[in-house]
Amino acid sequence: MTAVPAEPYEFEFEPRSCALVIIDMQRDFVDPGGFGEALGNDVSLLRRAIAPTKKVLDAARARGMLVVHTREGHRPDLSDLPLNKKLRGRLENGIGDPGPMGRILVRGEYGHDIVDELKPAPGEPVVDKPGKGAFYATDLDAMLHNRGIRQLVVCGVTTEVCVNTSVREANDRGYDCLVLEDCVGSYFPEFQVAALSMIKAQGGIFGWVSDSKRFLAALAQA
Ligand code: C5J
């Protein structure tokens, strides 16, 4: 066991039973000119998670850890898009409509794919999820279970939406989650703080919070 200094207390893990899960680092959320920016968001708040996440990704690959990427999006025929999600926000151009980088959050479109900096390597699972949580309507749980994974190191966007939802889902399924605070991002600075606080409050009610430096130092010792 190796220990990462974290809040609310150290996170003990073994690389062979721990996976790196990178949530929704998609062009439409993160890149300038994408759907997120078109909605008026400052994508630089998300982009600052890219460089530290890349370091963690490189180290996890070098250590032979399982790496899983997720993408939020829908089938081209939108048959897996609930009406409430389609209507939410009363957007002129919403999910499934033409956007700046192709049809918005539709699988196969340029904007739906993962940013170049964090491109999945051949063989790394990419989980396409129709919801906010990475476990809802996906085979992620089966994949982790079949490989003996019990713990997750979580990076990605956005901290209060898909990262938080996925961590809560993982926790209910028996996985310990360590969220790296510099590797997750929110368009809303106050949500970033609150979402991380919610995870580590009450003795780590949903998981642990640390950062890339502390995780990388621990992984190097493992
Ligand atoms: C994610 C969203 N990935 N904010 N989606 O958090 O709609």
Side-chain angles (χ1 to χ4, degrees):
M1 281 282 183
T2 303
V4 187
E7 293 88 41
Y9 53 88
E10 62 187 16
F11 179 83
E12 294 182 340
F13 76 104
E14 294 215 42
R16 69 166 176 270
S17 54
C18 185
L20 172 64
V21 179
I22 304 180
I23 305 282
D24 300 1
M25 290 298 281
Q26 295 162 254
R27 296 186 180 110
D28 254 336
F29 293 128
V30 174
D31 272 357
F35 177 50
E37 194 174 72
L39 291 176
N41 296 301
D42 174 3
V43 293
S44 72
L45 295 168
L46 268 51
R47 293 192 65 75
R48 62 189 179 198
I50 294 176
T53 300
K54 178 77 169 83
K55 284 189 187 157
V56 170
L57 176 60
D58 289 345
R61 283 173 175 159
R63 193 64 178 72
M65 283 173 63
L66 175 65
V67 176
V68 180
H69 307 259
T70 74
R71 297 183 296 204
E72 179 178 354
H74 298 275
R75 293 170 180 266
D77 66 3
L78 305 182
S79 56
D80 59 351
L81 174 62
L83 186 61
N84 72 335
K85 189 173 179 186
K86 171 72 184 157
L87 298 179
R88 193 68 49 82
R90 297 178 173 171
L91 300 174
E92 206 167 295
N93 279 71
I95 297 172
D97 297 327
M101 294 184 174
R103 291 178 69 203
I104 295 163
L105 294 190
V106 170
R107 295 175 194 160
E109 299 289 336
Y110 184 76
H112 171 264
D113 211 353
I114 292 169
V115 296
D116 294 337
E117 298 91 326
L118 302 173
K119 194 179 162 65
E124 287 174 356
V126 178
V127 173
D128 279 318
K129 60 189 189 60
K132 304 304 181 196
F135 291 83
Y136 171 67
T138 73
D139 54 6
L140 177 59
D141 193 31
M143 242 186 311
L144 298 174
H145 179 81
N146 292 339
R147 297 189 198 209
I149 300 294
R150 304 304 318 149
Q151 296 182 301
L152 309 179
V153 173
V154 183
C155 303
V157 299
T158 63
T159 315
E160 76 279 15
V161 184
C162 291
V163 170
N164 230 273
T165 306
S166 299
V167 166
R168 291 171 188 226
E169 287 183 330
N171 184 60
D172 278 348
R173 285 163 176 78
Y175 299 96
D176 290 335
C177 293
L178 175 69
V179 179
L180 303 180
E181 63 187 6
D182 53 334
C183 298
V184 295
S186 169
Y187 298 125
F188 306 95
E190 67 276 26
F191 290 175
Q192 172 82 355
V193 173
L196 292 169
S197 300
M198 285 176 193
I199 290 166
K200 64 189 176 184
Q202 301 184 71
I205 195 151
F206 298 123
W208 285 255
V209 175
S210 187
D211 57 42
S212 61
K213 277 208 179 89
R214 290 188 283 176
F215 175 70
L216 290 169
L219 189 61
Q221 302 290 319

